């Protein structure tokens, strides 16, 4: 396996001969001196070829290079204060590994702008841009930090099914597929099987994987396939126990990004602030009064709309100086059958959303663990009890109070990094018109 030294490592090898492989990011021919910017996954280095100090065959090779050619450069590392990294490589040999076709359909240098569809059509070229790679390195560190918190807190990672024999939430936003000649559905959320894991006595679990929503949405906030990190915990007091887990998990993720991704944050020109906890909590029905004072009237029993989320985001920022806030106690009429209602006020549910910079990141709260209540709520929603028996039957045999949430990884990444479209935070996003590459 070839060595791929980082620019930081190369800067400590002044006077040594090295070999560095990568893509030609740019070539500049300036008469008496030529430059190559050589890019790989570790960063960018400058190769400098002075006419008087480099063999003619090397100069000829430099002159024949095109952007995105893959080459191996062998030469001596020398100090160069004018170079970005403080050093340059004087080439003694250049080997062509893989020549790039010309012209390029997308400019990985970012000199020529491209719209989001062009970028996604040529995603492999788009991924070569340092600022795009930075997104996914940040995302990796974010998930690493969130998982580290969960594991340290006693959560067991489990893998729940992606193919279901029935619709779990009663909506039409599901993808139907053929399963050995029988109808099946791609999951909207891994939650019901996490609940069954809790019913099985596992205590604290989390799932990390894909879910699907068949929404014909063409907004910067939606993709048809998304990844979530989804914890579930038992023996909770109420839904606020899940809120404390979620905010601590997020802080751990952002802390890991700041520890591990300084270079990537510099590329993205970002400075991430670790959020203060606890996050502010707004609850129904008081929310209706807050919105009314902000000039937006929602009828009692209504769910939040986009304007509500926008106004509440501004309100929380002004009143609490926080980009994160929880919305609790949603009207039970707008929530699925498995959500626990407030016993004293069954009009409202122990249902929690996390909103970040105006965008819903997660949905969760306390689940109903009492079998008779679950069956009543299935009937209230007009769902078929028999088709959900696979889920409800275990609740006849003693299940503890429990709750959890499912947080969208791409949404969190995109809004945290200030990206214009959630598709930018998905490696190969899927949408109503996009099934390739």
């Amino acid at each position: 396996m070839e060595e791929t030294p980082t620019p930081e490592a190369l800067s400590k090898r002044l006077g040594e001969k090295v070999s560095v492989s990568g893509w030609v990011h740019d070539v500049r021919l300036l008469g008496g001196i030529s430059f190559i910017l050589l890019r790989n996954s570790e960063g960018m280095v400058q190769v400098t070829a002075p006419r008087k100090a480099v063999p003619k065959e090397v100069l000829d090779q430099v002159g024949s290079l095109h952007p995105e050619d893959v080459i191996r450069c062998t030469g001596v590392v020398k100090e160069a204060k004018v170079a970005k990294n403080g050093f340059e490589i004087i080439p003694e040999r250049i080997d062509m590994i893989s020549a790039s076709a010309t012209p390029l359909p997308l400019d990985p240098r970012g000199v020529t702008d491209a719209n989001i569809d062009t970028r996604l059509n040529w995603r492999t070229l788009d991924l070569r841009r340092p600022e795009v790679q930075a997104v996914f390195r940040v995302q990796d560190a974010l998930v690493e930090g969130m998982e580290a918190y969960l594991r340290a807190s006693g959560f067991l990672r489990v893998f729940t099914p992606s193919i279901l024999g029935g619709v779990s939430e009663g909506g039409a936003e599901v993808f139907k597929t053929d399963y050995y000649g029988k109808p099946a559905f791609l999951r909207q959320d891994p939650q019901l099987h996490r609940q069954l894991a809790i019913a099985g006595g596992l205590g604290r679990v989390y799932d990390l994987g894909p879910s699907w929503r068949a929404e014909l949405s063409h907004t910067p906030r939606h993709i048809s396939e998304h990844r979530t990190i989804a914890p579930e915990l038992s023996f909770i007091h109420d839904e606020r126990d899940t809120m404390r887990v979620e905010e601590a998990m997020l802080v751990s993720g952002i802390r890991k990004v700041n520890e591990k991704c300084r270079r990537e944050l510099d590329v993205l020109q970002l400075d991430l602030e670790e959020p203060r906890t606890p996050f502010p909590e707004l609850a129904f029905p008081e929310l209706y009064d807050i919105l009314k004072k902000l000039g937006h009237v929602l009828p009692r029993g209504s769910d939040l709309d986009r304007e509500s989320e926008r106004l509440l985001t501004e309100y929380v920022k002004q009143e609490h100086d926080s980009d994160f806030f929880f919305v609790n106690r949603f009207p039970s009429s707008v929530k699925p059958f498995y959500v626990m209602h407030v016993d004293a006020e069954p009009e409202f549910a122990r249902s929690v959303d996390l909103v970040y910079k105006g965008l819903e990141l997660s949905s969760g709260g306390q689940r109903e663990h009492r079998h008779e209540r679950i069956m009543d709520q299935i009937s209230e929603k007009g769902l078929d009890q028999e088709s959900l028996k696979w889920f409800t039957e275990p609740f006849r045999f003693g299940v503890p109070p429990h709750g959890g949430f499912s947080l969208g990884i791409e949404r969190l990444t995109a809004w945290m990094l200030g990206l214009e479209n959630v598709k930018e935070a998905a490696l190969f996003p899927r949408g109503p018109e996009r099934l390739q590459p």
Side-chain angles (χ1 to χ4, degrees):
M1 185 170 61
E2 287 194 17
E3 178 187 22
T4 309
T6 65
E8 292 78 8
L10 287 170
S11 68
K12 298 174 183 177
R13 298 178 63 177
L14 298 179
E16 296 183 30
K17 182 182 288 190
V18 300
S19 288
V20 181
S21 300
W23 286 265
V24 174
H25 188 71
D26 207 354
V27 185
R28 298 169 190 169
L29 308 176
L30 303 174
I33 191 168
S34 299
F35 298 95
I36 304 170
L37 286 179
L38 189 61
R39 183 195 72 243
N40 58 33
S41 60
E42 297 298 335
M44 197 103 62
V45 297
Q46 178 176 299
V47 178
T48 303
R51 185 172 296 277
K52 295 180 180 180
V54 172
K56 182 179 184 302
E57 58 268 24
V58 172
L59 287 172
D60 291 343
Q61 282 180 299
V62 173
S64 67
L65 293 176
H66 298 95
E68 301 312 303
D69 286 342
V70 180
I71 65 170
R72 180 187 302 107
C73 177
T74 302
V76 177
V77 181
K78 290 193 175 182
E79 184 178 14
K81 294 182 178 178
V82 294
K84 182 178 180 180
N85 296 312
F87 70 89
E88 61 191 6
I89 297 175
I90 308 300
E92 296 179 358
R93 175 175 174 173
I94 292 177
D95 296 306
M96 177 67 75
I97 297 174
S98 178
S100 172
T102 58
L104 294 167
L106 181 78
D107 183 3
R109 300 171 304 170
V111 174
T112 303
D113 289 335
N115 63 36
I116 186 68
D117 286 327
T118 300
R119 289 178 55 198
L120 295 178
N121 288 340
W122 296 99
R123 190 54 153 164
T124 51
L125 288 176
D126 186 54
L127 286 170
R128 296 179 186 180
R129 296 167 58 197
E131 60 271 30
V132 176
Q133 288 199 9
V135 169
F136 295 100
R137 295 184 187 280
V138 166
Q139 188 175 83
D140 175 69
L142 182 65
V143 172
E144 179 185 345
M146 292 192 293
E147 281 198 275
Y149 165 78
L150 293 174
R151 290 183 180 275
S153 301
F155 284 82
L156 175 73
R157 182 173 178 181
V158 295
F159 300 96
T160 57
S162 292
I163 303 174
L164 304 181
V167 178
S168 63
E169 298 190 16
E173 298 166 354
V174 290
F175 287 105
K176 187 176 180 180
T177 186
D178 178 83
Y179 190 76
Y180 300 108
K182 295 180 289 187
F185 304 88
L186 298 182
R187 72 182 183 192
Q188 296 169 289
D189 187 275
Q191 183 214 307
L192 296 187
H193 286 89
R194 294 199 321 272
Q195 287 191 251
L196 293 183
I198 293 296
L202 290 183
R204 292 183 162 206
V205 299
Y206 77 97
D207 195 357
L208 180 62
S211 296
W212 294 265
R213 293 269 178 173
E215 295 177 286
L216 286 173
S217 297
H218 300 83
T219 79
R221 307 183 305 277
H222 291 88
I223 46 179
S224 299
E225 178 186 71
H226 65 282
R227 264 108 323 238
T228 64
I229 186 165
E232 201 79 20
L233 58 156
S234 61
F235 294 101
I236 64 173
H237 177 67
D238 60 25
E239 72 276 12
R240 290 184 176 88
D241 288 348
T242 71
M243 294 156 65
R244 301 291 81 81
V245 168
E246 184 165 15
E247 64 195 11
M249 184 190 79
L250 274 164
V251 168
S252 179
I254 293 170
R255 183 177 298 151
K256 178 60 71 174
V257 171
N258 279 324
E259 291 172 357
K260 195 174 180 179
C261 297
R262 191 67 264 159
R263 183 180 72 182
E264 287 76 15
L265 293 174
D266 288 343
V267 167
L268 295 168
Q269 300 181 339
L270 285 177
D271 185 19
L272 285 184
E273 183 179 345
E274 191 175 298
R276 298 188 309 275
T277 57
F279 296 163
E281 176 190 346
L282 305 179
F284 289 90
E286 291 81 6
L287 262 180
Y288 295 124
D289 295 330
I290 294 173
L291 287 168
K292 186 176 181 180
K293 291 177 182 177
L294 297 174
H296 186 60
V297 177
L298 279 182
R300 188 176 175 113
S302 299
D303 198 354
L304 296 182
D305 55 18
R306 285 291 300 159
E307 179 65 6
S308 300
E309 291 176 341
R310 184 187 70 80
L311 290 170
L312 292 174
T313 295
E314 294 175 356
Y315 170 81
V316 170
K317 187 67 174 176
Q318 182 176 344
E319 295 294 320
H320 302 280
D321 192 26
S322 176
D323 290 323
F324 293 92
F325 66 95
F326 289 112
V327 178
N328 193 6
R329 303 289 174 94
F330 278 85
S332 54
S333 60
V334 303
K335 289 298 177 181
F337 74 89
Y338 47 73
V339 177
M340 178 180 276
H341 298 180
V342 180
D343 285 349
E345 292 183 282
E347 179 186 357
F348 299 101
R350 298 185 181 277
S351 179
V352 180
D353 282 2
L354 177 64
V355 180
Y356 175 50
K357 294 182 179 178
L359 181 73
E360 177 197 324
L361 285 186
S362 74
S363 185
Q366 185 168 3
R367 324 302 190 188
E368 181 54 76
H369 64 279
R370 297 164 292 189
H371 179 261
E372 67 280 3
R373 296 289 181 91
I374 295 174
M375 301 309 291
D376 288 344
Q377 289 173 194
I378 288 174
S379 296
E380 289 170 8
K381 297 292 182 183
L383 302 176
D384 179 35
Q385 291 187 356
E386 192 66 26
S387 67
L388 286 165
K389 206 169 183 178
W390 65 270
F391 172 72
T392 60
E393 277 294 281
F395 285 82
R396 294 174 52 219
F397 305 106
V399 176
H402 62 281
F405 56 89
S406 182
L407 184 144
I409 292 170
E410 289 93 349
R411 279 191 168 193
L412 172 58
T413 304
W415 260 240
M416 186 177 73
L417 299 182
L419 305 180
E420 293 183 359
N421 195 311
V422 70
K423 296 180 181 68
E424 297 181 69
L427 196 63
F428 297 101
R430 295 291 176 254
E433 282 81 38
R434 182 167 297 281
L435 196 55
Q436 294 175 336

